[in-house]
Amino acid sequence: MLVKQAEFISSNTDLKKCPEPELPEYAFIGRSNVGKSSLINSLTGRKSLAKVSGKPGKTQLINHFMINKSWYLVDLPGYGYAGVSKSKRLEFALFIKNYLLKRENLMCLFVLIDSRHKAQKIDLDFMQWLGQKGIPFVICFTKLDKLSKKERAENISLYQQEMLSQWEELPQIFLSSSTKKIGQEELLQFIEQTNRLF
Ligand code: GTP
Ligand code: MG
């Protein structure tokens, strides 16, 4: 799929103020700094559609972008960032959970995982929760450019093994780098196919 058009629609924490759920939607989630906003920019071929920062905690709202006038990409705040106060972290969690549980046009959630790191409890617990709630998700490993081919294969295989201790079946897995432009086509193809189910 070619992204011909990408426009910012809205930012808020209130599900009721999100765009009407009339188009299929895909949201990006994961730890702060994992590269959610960067991946949205690289998928849409736009440098600063979503705001990126080297400092974790940049994205703080539910951000809707309309693509090709036919589907939505959603940039969400990261979780697990120690720099915000505990009460604020809790508040994040609440509005994000509310969005994830109630957004009826959410076709699939992309859980982004930094390919350099071993499986982290916070991500594994979050995916368990998604499973319990029946929220469809796939995994997308990010920042592949930071690893050699050998390291990529090793890390991803280790991650899959770790997941298999909790899951009977693994979710679909995508590999990406926003700086080196890896994986964009596969992600867009997946979205194109999934859009047909809406
Ligand atoms: P929050 O909004 O704070 O939760 O972060 P985020 O997950 O949206 O991360 P963001 O896209 O802002 O990127 C965080 C940092 O990682 C920035 O310095 C990016 O330039 C860098 N980064 C993102 N993607 C990649 C990638 O594929 N490769 C490399 N090398 N760096 C990346
Ligand atoms: Mg962000």
Side-chain angles (χ1 to χ4, degrees):
M1 171 171 40
L2 282 177
V3 173
K4 293 186 199 137
Q5 206 183 30
E7 62 179 307
F8 169 76
I9 303 291
S10 62
S11 284
N12 59 71
T13 56
D14 186 350
L15 187 65
K16 290 196 279 304
K17 292 186 191 144
C18 287
E20 287 296 313
E22 288 163 346
L23 295 173
E25 180 160 314
Y26 303 86
F28 286 36
I29 203 163
R31 302 190 71 156
S32 290
N33 220 39
V34 69
K36 301 174 291 294
S37 302
S38 302
L39 191 55
I40 287 185
N41 290 335
S42 80
L43 280 178
T44 53
R46 301 268 295 265
K47 275 210 184 78
S48 44
L49 185 68
K51 292 204 181 81
V52 168
S53 169
K55 271 198 279 174
K58 178 69 183 170
T59 310
Q60 303 227 356
L61 301 166
I62 302 172
N63 299 288
H64 274 81
F65 304 97
M66 193 196 267
I67 313 299
N68 294 347
K69 298 223 181 275
S70 54
W71 52 279
Y72 291 117
L73 263 183
V74 176
D75 193 14
L76 294 172
Y79 51 73
Y81 170 46
V84 294
S85 70
K86 221 172 182 180
S87 61
K88 191 123 202 231
R89 259 184 277 163
L90 209 67
E91 193 185 303
F92 273 2
L94 274 179
F95 79 76
I96 297 169
K97 277 187 176 170
N98 191 44
Y99 164 82
L100 294 173
L101 289 169
K102 299 199 183 134
R103 189 68 174 162
E104 53 201 273
N105 58 335
L106 182 64
M107 301 299 280
C108 187
L109 183 68
F110 290 86
V111 178
L112 271 55
I113 306 281
D114 191 322
S115 59
R116 294 171 296 176
H117 303 151
K118 284 205 191 91
Q120 313 260 316
K121 187 173 185 307
I122 192 167
D123 294 314
L124 296 172
D125 287 353
F126 178 66
M127 289 189 273
Q128 281 292 325
W129 180 80
L130 292 173
Q132 280 158 18
K133 300 295 176 188
I135 298 167
F137 72 96
V138 296
I139 291 180
C140 182
F141 288 101
T142 62
K143 308 194 186 184
L144 253 81
D145 57 283
K146 299 224 183 200
L147 296 176
S148 68
K149 288 237 158 78
K150 185 163 167 274
E151 289 168 324
R152 289 177 196 178
E154 280 170 7
N155 285 11
I156 286 153
S157 152
L158 268 177
Y159 206 99
Q160 287 174 311
Q161 280 171 36
E162 181 75 35
M163 279 203 80
L164 279 171
S165 65
Q166 296 186 345
W167 295 80
E168 257 173 53
E169 212 183 318
L170 291 177
Q172 196 162 341
I173 285 174
F174 293 93
L175 310 179
S176 74
S177 161
S178 298
T179 47
K180 287 279 161 67
K181 285 265 171 193
I182 301 170
Q184 282 71 17
E185 264 180 46
E186 287 80 4
L187 286 167
L188 287 171
Q189 203 175 12
F190 170 79
I191 290 173
E192 187 174 30
Q193 283 168 0
T194 312
N195 276 344
R196 295 192 197 120
L197 306 174
F198 185 70

